[in-house]
Structures are given as C-alpha cells and as structure tokens.
Amino acid sequence: MDGQIWFLTRSLQLSSFQAYKLRVTHLYQLKQHSILVTVGQDEQGINPLVKVWNPDKRDSGNPLCTRIFPAIPGNKPTEVSCLSVHENLNFMAIGFTDGSVVLTKGDITRDRHSKTLTLHEGTCPITGLAFRQQSKVTHLFVATLEKVHCYTLSVKEYPKLELDTHGCALRCSALTDPSQDSQFIVAGDECVYLYQPDERGPCFAFDGHKLLAHWHRGYLLLLTRDTKSPNKSEFGSRETSPSEKQILTIYDLDNKFIAYSASFDDIIDVLAEWGSFYILTRDGKMFVLQEKDTQTKLEMLFKKNLFVMAINLAKSQHLDSDGLSEIFRQYGDHLYVKGDHDGAIQQYIRTIRKLEPSYVIRKFLDAQRIHNLTAYLQALHRQSLANADHTTLLLNCYTKLKDSSKLEEFIKSSESEVHFDVEIAIKVLRQAGYHSHAVFLAERHQHHKWYLKIQLEDLKNYQEALRYIGRLPFDQAESNMKRYGKTLMHHVPDGTTLLLKGLCTDYQPSRDAMERDSLDKGPAVAKKANSEEFISVFANNPRELRAFLEHMIEVEPFSSQGVYDTLLELRLQDWAHEQDSERKKVLQGAALSLLRSDNTVFDKALVLCQMHNFKEGVLYLYEKGKLYQQIMHYHMQNEEYGKVVEACKRYGDQEVCLWEQALGYFARKEEDCKAYISQVLEHIDQNNLMPPLLVVQTLAHNSTATLSVIKDYLINKLQRESQQIEDDERKIRQYREETAHLRAEIQELRSSAKIFQKTKCSMCNSPLELPSVHFLCNHSFHQHCFESYAESEAECPTCTPENRKVMDMLRAQDQKRDLHDHFTRQLRCSNDGFSVVADYFGRGVFNKLTLVTDPPGSKVGVGSLEADLQRDLLIHTKRNA
C-alpha cells in the first residue's frame, strides 16, 4: 500500500524501490524480456498511471522507468481491473471496471512509437485479458463477468468473436502454454472452460467458488472457497478454526489427476517461478510447493498400482523409451499376477525392442496361454525382431491351435510385410505336415531348394517340380538339375530329357503370357550348360541318353569329347547286341562316322572298340595313330596272313621293320606259309632290308620252310653280290691305274726338267709375251694377268678352286677321324653297315692303331675274331632294319 515494489531472489533475498507515491495495484513481468509493467497511483482519487520499468538499467539506484502514461479510457476516470502485455512488446491491453479495454499498439516502452485506442466497451467489468500468438496471427481474449470475447489483432478492423455467455470473476482466467495449444482458461463456479480463438474447447467439472486460476508448466492451479468446517488441522493454518478455508488444488489436465490439494487461510496470490509455486498469505507468510521429480512420482503411482496414470505421466514428461518400457513391464507383471493374461500380453508387446523376449515367452509357455504367446510372437515378427527360434515357436503355436486362417495370413503377407526367417518357417511347416503352405512360402520367396525338396520328397509331384525348374533362371535351373536330375529322369524321363536339351543348347526360362510381355522389351542373353556334366543323370536311361547326345552333336557339332565318347559307347553297345545283319551294318557305319569326326578321345575310343571287339574301329584308330605295328599284331593275332602281307605293303615304307616282323611271324608258324614267305622275301630282297645271313637264321626256326623257299632269294642275292664284286674290282683296277699314272707324273716332275710349250695365256687366251709365269700344271700366264687374278704367288689361279675343294675334303676327313659317336650313329641308321665302315676306312679313321696286349694265358683265334665281327655287323644291320 506504500507504492513500493519488492524483488525476491532465488536465495530469498529481498530488495525494493519506490514505484508510486501512494500504492501499486497491478504488476506484469514479461517472461522473455526484462520489462516490468505496473499500474498504480501517485495522487489521491481515480488517477491510475501505467509505468514501464527496465530492471537491467538503473536510475539513481532504481530500475529505469522508460515510459509513464495515464490509464484512462476516454475522458472518464475508471479503476483498472486487469492488465496483459504481449511478449513481443508491441501490444498492451488494460481492462477497466466500466467494461472497457484500452489497447496500446506499438513499442510499449516508448511514447513516440505507440498509439492507444479503446478496443472494447461494455457495461460489465473486465475480469481477464490474455494475448495468444499462433504463427503470425495475434489474438486477444477478453473475459468479463458475463461473457468471453476474442479479438483478432492481426486484422486491421480487429474483428470480435463472442465465444461464450459465461464469464468469470477477477483473476479466474489464464492462458495455457503451447503444449496445450495456448488455450484461454475461464474458471467458473461449476466448470473450468478452455477456449480456442474461434470456439469453446473442452471443459472440466471442477466445482466450487473460484477465487484464483493460474497455469504453469502443464498444471492448472485453482483456489476455491471451502464452505465445510474441517475436523483436523490443515496445512497453512496455525490453529483449527470453523471459519472459511481456501482450498488450493493443482490439476494435471494431461494425465487427469490431482497433483496437489490443501487448504489455506486467506491466500493473497500464488506465484510460479523457478519450477515451484510460491503462496503468499495475508498473515505475511510464503509457502513453497516444489514439484517432485518424475521418478518419485512414478514410484508413488507404482505403489498404488496406477500404471495407466504412470504411463501417461511418463509420456507427458518425455521419458525415454527405456523408462517407458520398464513401466510397461511392471504393468504387464501386475496384470499377469492378477490373472489378466490378455491385458498383460498387450503391455509386454509394448516392451518389444527393450525387454528380452525370453522373459515374456517363459511366462506363456503353458498350453492354456498359447493364444497370448501367439499374439506376442506376432508382434515380435511385425517389428522384424524375431529370430529363428521365435519363428519356429510361432508356427508351432499356429499348428497347435490348428488356426489355418492365421497361419495363411502370416505366410501370405505381402513381401514388404515379411518379418520372419522364411527358411525356418518352411522347415517348421514341412515338419508339421503343412506341405502346401511350405510350398507356397518357398515359391513366393524363391527358396528353390526347399520348393523342390518338398515337391519331390514329400508330395512326390515330379511333373510340377520339373515345370518349376523350367521357369528358373539359367544358373539355378542348372544347379537344380544336377541335384535332382536323376530323380526326375527316373519318374519323368521324356520331360527331363527335353529340359536338358534346352538347358545345354539355348536355354530360355518358360514364362506365362504376362511375364513374356514384360520381358519382350529387353533382349535375353542365352546361356548353355556343359552337356557332359549331365551324362550321369541318364545312368539308367540309355534310350533317353542316346537321344540327348545325338541332339547335342546335331545342334552343337563342337560338343565336348565326353559327349562323343559316351555316344560312341552307346552305339558300340547297340552294335554288339544287334542280331539283324542289315541293322548291324547301319550301326557299324554310325560308330565309324563318330570315330572319323575326330571329336573322340583317342585312348578312350580305342579301349571302347577293343572292349566291344569292333574290328573296323580298332584298325581305323591304329592307322589314325600311326600304330602300324599294332595293326600287324592285330592281324597276326587273328591269323589273317593275307592282311599281314597287305599291312606290310601298305605301311612298310613308314616302318621297314614290319617286313622283318612279318618274316619272323611266318617263320614261327608250323603251317604251310610258303606263299606269304615268298612275298615277304621278295620285298626284302628288292629293298635290301635284311642281311642274307639273318634271313637264313630267321627261317631256320620253321620246320615247313625248305631250301626251295629261299632258293630264289639266295640266288638273286648272290648274283647281285657277284655283280657288285665285279664292279668293285673294276673300279679298283681303274683307281690303281690312275694312281700309278699320277705317281709317274710326280716322279717325272721331281727328276726331269719341265719344258713349257704353251704359246697362249691361260687367263686371257692371248699370245704369251715376256715376262710370263709358268706352273707345273701346264698353265702359263702373262705376268700382269697373273698379278691381277692370282690370290697367291704359289698357286695357279686356274687350279686353285679345285685344289681348295680337295684340301677342304682332306681337312674334313682329319676332323672326323675321332668322331666315334658320329660313326656309331651312322652305322646304326644306315641300311648297309659295310659301306659305312668302308667309308670311314677310306677317311683314315682307323689309321691310328692302338695295340692292346692280351691278358696272360688267353688265346684268341682268328676264327673267333671273325665271328665276333660278323655278329656285330649283323646286330648293327638288324637295328638299322
């Protein structure tokens, strides 16, 4: 009443300053600015003054007063009933007891930048004012004793809307915070109403005569008059009195419970600051109501089993998910103990992601609670938190309940809603006997292995399995045919063969019409499997295997050798078992055509032909591999004498030893083979393939071969040898005569003078003139011709080329005298060993003699030396042959 304003710090330190001379009637402290707006009197009478203070700035130790102006609506002095200031400092509203409202627009801290106008006029006193800011729209709520109005200040004309015909007493209105959508609270005697700018909102039936309404941090504080006389001591009074009491009640509207309620004696006002309520009473006392922390509140609610309220409280306090999950768990445990299993499972579902699923599952493993367990497991799968065990348990629950509809709903959910391990589900369904469901799941999620396993092993639906494989991409179709090909071939041979033909040539997955239309837009890349890898599939189906292989070599001529080898084996088997001669001839030609295609492996084909005694194939392969001796041996084993001679004639040029082998073969036969021996001897004689002595020794083993068989051979051989001897003797005489003539010339040159009678130059063929040069070889030259053409002064230019050839030959012979390896190799390879030895004798290889003294007591006769030499020569000749 003395015009002072008091400041109270958080540490309860008081300070004051003189704001008015007489008294202060209204205070308004802005929340976002250090601005204080007051209404008071400096003079007697009705002269209210509005002052705007800035506590951060000082004037002589007191807060700076930035503005003073009278609060008078029009020209008629009136008492101020209420005051409100907008947080942006651009609006201030003053309500009067005569029912008028004055609005100051502009900067309220300065006179020059603001203007004042009368916004509202009426006959009923103004009891409450509140500004509401929503985005860029500003509203002003006006409450009187009888009505509630709302003005839109962001529109130029300030349109007014009457919200209700019920008003409130002074100080019985407030504005909620943005969490409650900034609604205007009007506390009547019967109800508390909440208003939006355009309509009335919810109401709460809080009975009693309201003295004060206040809003702070989600709490609604109401002060009501208590007309009852309490029988016990109440909070805030020092003694029990039957007089009227004031009931202070704090409501949590969000969670719908009373946070605090107590009676007091004569409360002046309630202030909210620093998270607490400060209650001022007329006897000069101040009470502080401090809000309990959230955990303490929750524990109190838990003790009273008020879990729903605890959940709402936790949500309003923005408790983290771990804290909420713990409340849900406790609530679920409470309901479980009470026997409300349905309600408990709903709370446990809300703990998913925080509570270990095994904690819940163990509680509901009883068969009577299986439907609750099913609900929990379904929720676990919907949140994609189920593991393989959870999926198995859920499907077992479905099967135990025989709930086919739920089971189908679970497995037939859209692919985006699948929250379980599909493979585990397929295993469980298969084990439980739900094969159709398992097949559906496998096909839908493209678990090809399981689809085929169930179709083939459980449902025995081989045709459907084959159709399914034909729809798969190449790689998967190939791998599954390798895995299940034998089973399918056993039950569906024709279809399986057809699919394999396509898989190994130009595979295209079979699709329905819609799929083909969608895929026609892009070219498909054809792939081919290795046909050789599928031969084992036809192990017990030779007819289908033959059709498959013939198709492969027809479509793919360059198929692998294994394909040709297998087909050759099949054709040889058919040839071996065929009784009809005409058909056998056709099969023989087919087998030979494969051999001639050069696509078979030589060794395998030879073994197959030998196993099936396929003579034509064996001989063809021998000839192809140049195994001429094997051809001979084959005919020899079959005693085909004519074929033996024919083989010698055909391949004797490539391997001359065939004739020697043929002679030895016929020589060992006790049958009369004279005709064949004669043919062989004739060829041996013509080509000088064997020494006569070796021929005689070879035929000596045959008891049927008489001298008449080799008579012609020996006569011809001796005649040729005699002719050769005569030719050699003639050459010897010729060489002796030439040698004697040369020696005579040499002697003459050494002992007699040489008369040079040449008249022409041997180089230019011109008459000789002195000076000239003469040589003993009877060549003469002009000196200038000799000097021009001669390479050496000691050699005749004409004879030099020939002399060099002779000298080169002599040097070559000298170099080769010690080439024993070369001599041995030539001796081994030559057809006539005697000529090689004679050639080396002529070169002088054996001119160097080394005498080896015989060991004491050993005597070697001439006959034995000749026998050894003859044996060595025969051996060399035989090796050469």
Side-chain angles (χ1 to χ4, degrees), residues 206 212-224 235 247-264 267 270-272 275-279 287-292 297:
F206 299 147
L212 178 67
H214 196 69
W215 180 271
H216 180 66
R217 290 188 178 181
Y219 292 105
L220 173 62
L221 183 147
L222 292 179
L223 182 66
T224 60
F235 182 80
I247 305 299
L248 179 65
T249 307
I250 301 176
Y251 298 93
D252 187 337
L253 297 185
D254 278 343
N255 302 310
K256 297 180 175 57
F257 66 87
I258 298 174
Y260 177 80
S261 181
S263 63
F264 291 85
I267 295 176
V270 178
L271 305 176
S276 303
F277 286 107
Y278 294 85
I279 304 170
F287 300 93
V288 180
L289 297 181
Q290 294 181 337
E291 183 180 7
K292 295 181 183 295
K297 294 179 187 177

Side-chain angles (χ1 to χ4, degrees), residues 446-463:
Q446 298 183 357
H447 285 260
H448 311 306
K449 181 184 73 172
W450 284 105
Y451 179 90
L452 295 171
K453 186 184 289 290
I454 297 171
Q455 288 283 18
L456 295 174
E457 298 178 7
D458 299 325
L459 300 177
K460 309 296 182 183
N461 194 346
Y462 305 104
Q463 191 67 44

Side-chain angles (χ1 to χ4, degrees), residues 666-673 701-704:
F666 289 125
R668 289 190 298 271
K669 288 296 180 182
E670 297 299 328
E671 303 173 12
D672 187 5
C673 301
H701 300 291
N702 192 316
S703 60
T704 62

Side-chain angles (χ1 to χ4, degrees), residues 52-67:
V52 180
W53 307 88
N54 187 346
D56 292 341
K57 297 181 180 180
R58 294 288 172 172
D59 182 14
S60 301
N62 296 326
L64 176 64
C65 182
T66 62
R67 183 181 180 187

